[in-house]
Amino acid sequence: MRDTEMTNLTIGVLGGMGPEATAGFFFTLVSCDVAKNDQDHLHMIVDSTPSIPDRTAFLLGRGPDPLPGMLASAKRLEVAGVDIAGIPCMTAHAFLPRLTPLTAIRFLSAFEEMVGTLTRDFSSIHALGILATSGSKKARLYETHLDRFLILWPNEESQETCVMEAIYGKRGIKAGEKGEYPRGLLIKAARDLQDKGAEAIVAGCTEVPLALSQKYVGIPFIDPMTLLAKALVAVARNV
């Protein structure tokens, strides 16, 4: 039972996919939550479960289904008193239609928040360049949720040698490297997308903003996780 003096909702984070992206998302949540002091901040609960099977591997037919692990995490958040939640993993959004009917928690979608922001603040943009996992590409998450936009992906070689290498490589972001090596690969992929006509670059994997930011991209850089964090705080505070 929530403290009777508290009127705000409790935010949950279904995380661990990966752990550093989850930590970054929690930091973003706290940064978006404008408060007068410690006590004025929202109640947030993070469940970081790195053992959840890789989402891209499953979508490509190379690994086990991550849904049972995601559901177990959601149930822990539910028991802990979470009202609304977000998942700091874009590829994991492919499993939301299967997850949400199994839990009482209201999950906000980073894709829905991105559509709203693009429509409101970037109305002149039509073509989006996507830096995301091959699992997201195969699941057609961006084509499905952003169907009013032209979705541009790196060519097959660039997707594997730049984007996937930057995320999953031995010197990639999931291996703890966020410096020049993965950043250079992502910059190359972003420039290739811009050459193909992209008017904005979407950080379509939560690891991407750990190495890449607006200052390295010459066109608008859209981070869905920041949009999701802002939306969770707004809903929790009913503003």
Side-chain angles (χ1 to χ4, degrees):
M1 178 69 67
R2 189 181 298 110
D3 189 318
T4 55
E5 294 184 3
M6 296 175 62
T7 58
N8 299 316
L9 301 180
T10 294
I11 295 175
V13 178
L14 199 164
M17 305 174 284
E20 194 160 2
T22 299
F25 183 68
F26 179 68
F27 179 81
T28 302
L29 271 173
V30 175
S31 299
C32 291
D33 183 27
V34 178
K36 300 185 294 293
N37 50 46
D38 288 349
Q39 292 72 29
D40 189 46
H41 274 284
L42 290 165
H43 185 206
M44 304 177 189
I45 300 173
V46 179
D47 187 89
S48 183
T49 309
S51 61
I52 294 174
D54 188 83
R55 286 62 57 200
T56 293
F58 175 78
L59 291 169
L60 295 178
R62 302 172 186 167
D65 190 350
L67 182 65
M70 292 174 63
L71 178 59
S73 178
K75 289 299 182 182
R76 286 191 292 271
L77 292 172
E78 189 175 318
V79 170
V82 164
D83 301 295
I84 57 172
I87 303 178
C89 174
M90 294 302 288
T91 310
H93 278 64
F95 303 90
L96 266 183
R98 296 167 59 199
L99 176 67
T100 52
L102 304 175
T103 174
I105 295 173
R106 176 189 172 191
F107 279 89
L108 300 192
S109 165
F111 284 97
E112 292 180 8
E113 301 309 323
M114 185 163 43
V115 169
T117 297
L118 287 168
T119 302
R120 182 181 64 252
D121 300 334
F122 299 93
S123 58
S124 64
I125 288 177
H126 174 62
L128 300 174
I130 310 297
L131 297 178
T133 65
S134 296
S136 288
K137 182 178 181 181
K138 183 176 178 61
R140 295 184 61 81
L141 290 175
Y142 292 87
E143 290 82 357
T144 299
H145 293 279
L146 303 170
D147 57 352
R148 72 189 68 177
F149 300 93
L150 173 63
I151 301 300
L152 300 173
W153 290 88
N155 61 42
E156 187 174 341
E157 180 182 0
S158 181
Q159 177 67 21
E160 290 301 317
T161 63
C162 291
V163 181
M164 292 295 282
E165 173 65 19
I167 297 170
Y168 284 98
K170 291 182 179 179
R171 296 172 59 196
I173 302 165
K174 282 185 177 291
E177 176 60 58
K178 301 182 292 296
E180 183 176 342
Y181 179 70
R183 182 180 302 120
L185 294 174
L186 293 172
I187 289 173
K188 182 180 185 304
R191 288 175 178 168
D192 290 345
L193 287 169
Q194 190 171 357
D195 289 343
K196 292 174 71 172
E199 299 165 301
I201 298 296
V202 175
C205 173
T206 44
E207 271 73 27
V208 169
L210 298 178
L212 193 66
S213 64
Q214 180 66 72
K215 70 178 181 179
Y216 298 105
V217 181
I219 54 179
F221 182 73
I222 310 298
D223 179 6
M225 287 297 107
T226 297
L227 304 181
L228 178 60
K230 289 180 179 178
L232 284 165
V233 169
V235 171
R237 288 196 177 277
N238 193 28
V239 296

